[in-house]
Amino acid sequence: MKKFLDLITEHLQDAFEASGYPKEGITASLSNRPDLCEYQCNGAMVLAKKVHQAPMEIAEKVAHVLLDNPAFEMAEAVKPGFINLKVTGRFLTEYIGNMVREEKFGLDNEEPKQMILVDYGGANVAKPLHIGHLRAAIIGESIKRICRYMGHDVLGDVHLGDWGLQMGQVIAELILRGMEDNFTVTDLEEIYPTASKKCKEESDTYDKAFAEEAHRITGELQNGNAQYRKIWEKITEVSKEDLKKNYDNLEVYFDLWKGESDVQPYIPAMIQDLKDQGLAYESDGAYVIDVTEETDKKELPPCIIVKRDGSSLYATTDLATLVEREKLYCPDYVIYVVDKRQSLHLEQVFRVSRKAHIVHEGEKLFHLGFGTMNGKDGQPYKTRSGGVMRLESLINEVNEAVLEKMKDNPDISAEEAAKTSKVIALAALKYGDLSNQATKDYIFDISRFIEFEGNTGPYILYTIVRIKSILNKAGKEADGEIFFTGEKAEKGLLMEAARFSDVIETAYKELAPHKICSYIYDLANAFNTFYHEVKILSEEDEKKKESYLSLLKLTKEVLEQCIDLLGFGAPERM
Ligand code: ARG
């Protein structure tokens, strides 16, 4: 089904043509002066130079033609050459009627189906999930859902950090304590930082012998030592179980639970191939690949794939992961939802994989780099005592704040409040994050995120709950014909609803969940204005009432679909 703006564009183009002008490049846009018009077109101004006519002259001619078109109730040329438009209620409700009937509200999958892999989450084994991983989980989950809704085949991969030196450090510490057969996540939470500190020269607990032992164990683990492998397996098992629980609580679900360890078998052959192709060369005992391209303003450092001691690195693993992905899934598009501070690393990986034909011709690799979540002081969010915040504690903090707020509502039992507060807290957390452009840093402000009013997740939920309650009170099916009864607020709501396909498609193309957030905020506002200005349940004209209820139902369904794409749901009451 065509998008509403595209329909208006078609009418505009026809009118330009009928007035004797070329129609190429003529488009309609939403008005940025809603006090004057609903949609507008600046085509006359663009055309003026080309056809050597004054913009106003063109705009007037075209507007004149448009006036005969039943899609428009107003078409006006205004200085210096805009065409201001208002659509008729009938044109709008015809489109809305189709939205109601069509699957996915008429959203088309314009592109051929693609195989898309979303690399997000990126948690590390043996380390508890901390808030650094929160954004990767929240944004990635939404991106995955949006791609899937657009009709593509999509796989989400958690790409666990389950390999490398940190594993050797943890194993060394477990052996030292005689705990290698018997430990829990809670133990790991303490063991990991302790062991890691003992290996850092600048730390006060630095232990040279221990550091060397950890290094040795890492090497042997990588060479297949059975004893260490067994301990490693136990660590990943214990850790994964805990991670799954945490991700479940966040309603973040991965299709693939692969990790860096899974691709180690590909590394030797890949490195050989990179050498054979003449791409990898020795430098100071290490092996590196040049990645700078002619168009670069600044030279990029070469990508190191083998360290001097013969071990592989983060980049090696990411390259091998692409080798495996190519073999198993042959994706058309790989999206990395990873902290933007890793952009150089990923750029190096992308360039090497293209140069070495690890990925196929035309395969898109994209780094959706996100900014940092800061506290109100503008510094990375910390616990009250200044440590790195555990994700679980953070979620509990938000839950409690919401629960506290819900105490104000005497109609809701303690039991229901406990359940509902979790739903609201998740919406607060996710919307608080997603409503910001992913690449920007943002301030994590619980008290603002949990507000029931303003641009927040709970406000959106509150709107959905309000509509549900009206529909329940009406007590009948809201599936009558939607027609325009002439109310201003009604038109505003219809116009917002009609934007759905456009917004989702843009959010997909730009990988921008924040566009869905700002859309549902506008839609919720349009609904609330309608609710305050138009009597719905007390409307005496049954036909009108039915039309209103059906419009409400559509609004609710659009909102519910959108929050599902953002990764959360709505409660029955709040
Ligand atoms: N585990 C990494 C970290 O904690 C993130 C992994 C991101 N994904 C990737 N393919 N490199 O920093």
Side-chain angles (χ1 to χ4, degrees):
M1 185 174 137
K2 282 184 182 139
K3 285 170 282 184
F4 192 59
L5 263 185
D6 290 348
L7 286 179
I8 300 180
T9 292
E10 278 176 15
H11 284 299
L12 275 167
Q13 293 190 342
D14 289 349
F16 272 84
E17 214 167 37
S19 317
Y21 299 111
K23 64 176 185 182
E24 284 69 37
I26 302 298
T27 55
S29 59
L30 267 175
S31 160
N32 48 22
R33 285 291 304 272
D35 52 325
L36 299 179
C37 61
E38 295 161 353
Y39 302 90
Q40 63 188 36
C41 170
N42 62 2
M45 272 135 44
V46 180
L47 221 82
K49 265 212 188 96
K50 213 156 112 194
V51 299
H52 305 291
Q53 273 181 33
M56 265 313 267
E57 194 182 322
I58 306 173
E60 266 160 10
K61 265 201 210 162
V62 176
H64 193 72
V65 173
L66 284 167
L67 276 179
D68 286 333
N69 186 327
F72 303 103
E73 67 173 38
M74 184 200 95
E76 207 173 63
V78 290
K79 275 182 191 145
F82 287 110
I83 301 170
N84 285 355
L85 299 165
K86 279 188 185 169
V87 295
T88 55
R90 167 159 246 178
F91 177 50
L92 193 50
T93 50
E94 221 170 87
Y95 179 85
I96 294 288
N98 289 333
M99 261 182 93
V100 172
R101 276 182 292 275
E102 295 275 328
E103 218 181 292
K104 297 201 283 189
F105 312 103
L107 175 75
D108 275 338
N109 321 326
E110 277 175 15
E111 286 181 332
K113 201 189 206 82
Q114 300 199 0
M115 166 69 231
I116 302 178
L117 206 144
V118 188
D119 181 317
Y120 70 111
N124 297 313
V125 155
K127 287 197 222 175
L129 267 188
H130 62 85
I131 57 153
H133 290 111
L134 183 64
R135 298 208 75 192
I138 293 179
I139 300 168
E141 179 70 16
S142 177
I143 295 294
K144 184 191 75 183
R145 293 183 188 205
I146 294 170
C147 293
R148 199 165 274 162
Y149 191 65
M150 288 303 292
H152 299 297
D153 287 327
V154 187
L155 288 173
D157 180 8
V158 64
H159 195 75
L160 287 182
D162 60 357
W163 207 242
L165 192 57
Q166 87 261 23
M167 301 311 299
Q169 294 170 347
V170 172
I171 294 173
E173 184 69 19
L174 282 168
I175 293 176
L176 191 71
R177 298 188 192 189
M179 284 173 72
E180 63 267 39
D181 296 318
N182 188 19
F183 55 86
T184 62
V185 219
T186 321
D187 296 328
L188 290 178
E189 266 166 30
E190 179 261 323
I191 286 176
Y192 175 82
T194 308
S196 142
K197 260 182 95 181
K198 278 161 79 174
C199 297
K200 282 198 185 98
E201 265 176 62
E202 65 278 13
S203 113
D204 48 2
T205 53
Y206 176 61
D207 178 339
K208 190 158 183 267
F210 179 85
E212 279 168 12
E213 177 67 356
H215 200 85
R216 187 188 63 77
I217 292 179
T218 310
E220 293 210 12
L221 173 68
Q222 301 194 340
N223 288 326
N225 177 306
Q227 185 209 350
Y228 299 145
R229 179 80 193 182
K230 226 179 113 203
I231 306 175
W232 174 85
E233 269 162 15
K234 169 110 176 132
I235 299 174
T236 36
E237 189 193 302
V238 167
S239 230
K240 263 194 207 173
E241 198 182 313
D242 182 62
L243 288 172
K244 275 204 173 120
K245 192 187 81 198
N246 273 288
Y247 281 127
D248 275 352
N249 282 338
L250 274 177
E251 289 182 30
V252 167
Y253 308 107
F254 299 97
D255 307 289
L256 302 174
W257 275 82
K258 293 200 158 269
E260 299 183 341
S261 64
D262 288 293
V263 300
Q264 299 308 312
Y266 295 91
I267 290 182
M270 179 185 81
I271 289 178
Q272 191 55 50
D273 181 53
L274 292 169
K275 288 181 186 167
D276 292 348
Q277 288 193 53
L279 294 171
Y281 65 90
E282 207 191 311
S283 162
D284 243 346
Y287 275 88
V288 305
I289 298 176
D290 289 330
V291 292
T292 296
E293 288 169 3
E294 257 171 40
T295 49
D296 290 339
K297 285 197 194 84
K298 237 176 76 189
E299 202 171 307
L300 253 62
C303 180
I304 311 174
I305 56 161
V306 184
K307 269 202 285 202
R308 255 160 66 183
D309 63 5
S311 60
S312 53
L313 306 86
Y314 191 32
T316 329
T317 301
D318 261 320
L319 285 167
T321 305
L322 281 169
V323 172
E324 183 183 58
R325 286 176 180 162
E326 197 62 13
K327 184 169 154 222
L328 300 184
Y329 317 110
C330 196
D332 301 297
Y333 190 10
V334 187
I335 302 167
Y336 291 79
V337 184
V338 176
D339 194 313
K340 71 177 175 195
R341 287 169 292 191
Q342 296 193 21
S343 67
L344 173 62
H345 159 74
L346 285 170
E347 184 59 28
Q348 289 175 317
V349 168
F350 294 172
R351 288 185 181 198
V352 171
S353 58
R354 284 193 202 107
K355 242 176 140 169
H357 303 286
I358 288 174
V359 297
H360 62 264
E361 195 63 38
E363 176 170 340
K364 271 193 289 177
L365 301 171
F366 186 76
H367 175 203
L368 176 58
F370 53 80
T372 313
M373 186 172 131
N374 289 327
K376 280 191 205 158
D377 57 358
Q379 298 299 316
Y381 198 82
K382 293 263 165 62
T383 56
R384 282 198 196 100
S385 58
V388 175
M389 178 71 116
R390 285 199 50 181
L391 194 57
E392 238 181 306
S393 334
L394 179 88
I395 295 176
N396 288 339
E397 233 175 79
V398 184
N399 276 349
E400 260 149 47
V402 174
L403 202 56
E404 189 57 39
K405 243 184 130 72
M406 289 190 69
K407 286 204 185 115
D408 303 347
N409 189 339
D411 297 341
I412 295 183
S413 70
E415 201 187 334
E416 188 180 344
K419 243 167 92 190
T420 304
S421 67
K422 286 197 182 142
V423 179
I424 301 175
L426 191 67
L429 195 64
K430 288 194 167 183
Y431 191 95
D433 187 309
L434 293 170
S435 53
N436 302 285
Q437 198 178 328
T439 48
K440 298 209 170 122
D441 296 349
Y442 80 104
I443 306 257
F444 187 81
D445 181 351
I446 299 185
S447 50
R448 189 176 74 75
F449 291 175
I450 65 168
E451 286 293 336
F452 282 19
E453 264 156 63
N455 190 7
T456 68
Y459 170 66
I460 305 294
L461 299 192
Y462 194 76
T463 305
I464 295 175
V465 166
R466 177 176 266 173
I467 300 179
K468 280 185 184 175
S469 132
I470 301 172
L471 291 173
N472 280 340
K473 274 198 201 126
K476 55 174 169 185
E477 287 304 314
D479 49 13
E481 191 206 341
I482 298 176
F483 62 94
F484 181 50
T485 72
E487 298 289 341
K488 191 163 171 256
E490 179 191 19
K491 196 161 189 196
L493 182 53
L494 287 163
M495 277 175 53
E496 286 300 338
R499 283 173 58 204
F500 175 78
S501 292
D502 220 334
V503 171
I504 303 300
E505 200 184 276
T506 310
Y508 164 68
K509 285 193 177 143
E510 298 176 9
L511 301 180
H514 73 278
K515 300 236 158 138
I516 298 182
C517 291
S518 70
Y519 170 60
I520 54 177
Y521 181 52
D522 289 344
L523 182 60
N525 281 337
F527 161 74
N528 284 307
T529 307
F530 177 73
Y531 172 78
H532 288 296
E533 287 176 12
V534 180
K535 48 181 184 167
I536 304 169
L537 288 173
S538 60
E539 172 58 56
E540 280 143 28
D541 182 331
E542 278 303 314
K543 277 248 157 279
K544 275 191 184 178
K545 184 166 159 184
E546 224 174 81
S547 174
Y548 291 156
L549 291 173
S550 304
L551 176 56
L552 256 56
K553 184 170 161 211
L554 174 68
T555 307
K556 176 182 82 92
E557 286 171 354
V558 168
L559 286 172
E560 284 173 334
Q561 180 57 59
C562 288
I563 62 171
D564 184 62
L565 293 177
L566 298 174
F568 55 91
E572 281 312 305
R573 317 194 300 161
M574 61 193 271

